[in-house]
Amino acid sequence: MSQPPAMTVAPRRALVRQLIAQGPTLSTRNIAAQVSVSKDTVRGDLAAIRQEDAEASPEPAASAPEPSPDTDHLTLVLGEPLSQTLAVLRAARGAEDTTKQNEAAARAAIRAMANTVRDAQQRHQGQPSP
């Protein structure tokens, strides 16, 4: 019986981050067992997560008007790192730098990451993917 393919770094770290949030006292060994990697890999992920958190600066407040209470909105301030990331995603689709294309790229990236994390969680819980 073959093992499922290994997760890439970003989804694995997202899963590690989620496990820490759910159980802050989980040991490195326990996390490693749940993610199916070595405890050294988890240590590296934890160090990278701490560094990411330390480097994350608070986003400037958005000056967009408040949305009406009957609609859902997400407002992102496009700093340089996010602008560069959106440019990579748009380039992969050959899309122009427009608000509509940025929204489409962000939606696709969020859906893809959520699917990856959900699939990883289901694999680790022994559930089949939808």
Side-chain angles (χ1 to χ4, degrees):
M1 200 158 154
S2 66
Q3 290 184 320
M7 273 189 275
T8 58
V9 174
R12 186 185 70 232
R13 285 189 182 156
L15 182 56
V16 168
R17 188 182 289 272
Q18 182 180 10
L19 289 170
I20 293 167
Q22 291 173 349
T25 59
L26 283 175
S27 69
T28 304
R29 189 177 311 241
N30 188 292
I31 294 170
Q34 291 187 52
V35 182
S36 301
V37 296
S38 72
K39 62 183 179 180
D40 291 334
T41 299
V42 172
R43 282 190 189 118
D45 287 345
L46 291 171
I49 289 168
R50 281 191 295 273
Q51 183 175 351
E52 288 170 8
D53 290 348
E55 292 174 355
S57 59
E59 294 288 332
S63 59
E66 288 293 315
S68 62
D70 61 337
T71 59
D72 291 333
H73 286 83
L74 172 65
T75 302
L76 298 174
V77 177
L78 296 180
E80 190 60 29
L82 188 53
S83 292
Q84 291 173 352
T85 302
L86 284 171
V88 169
L89 295 171
R90 282 191 322 270
R93 297 175 46 213
E96 296 179 25
D97 185 5
T98 65
T99 300
K100 185 176 179 179
Q101 291 299 330
N102 283 334
E103 288 174 1
R107 287 175 193 271
I110 291 168
R111 271 193 304 274
M113 180 55 82
N115 289 340
T116 301
V117 170
R118 185 187 63 239
D119 291 348
Q121 289 171 331
Q122 289 173 345
R123 272 197 315 274
H124 294 302
Q125 294 172 354
Q127 299 174 357
S129 296

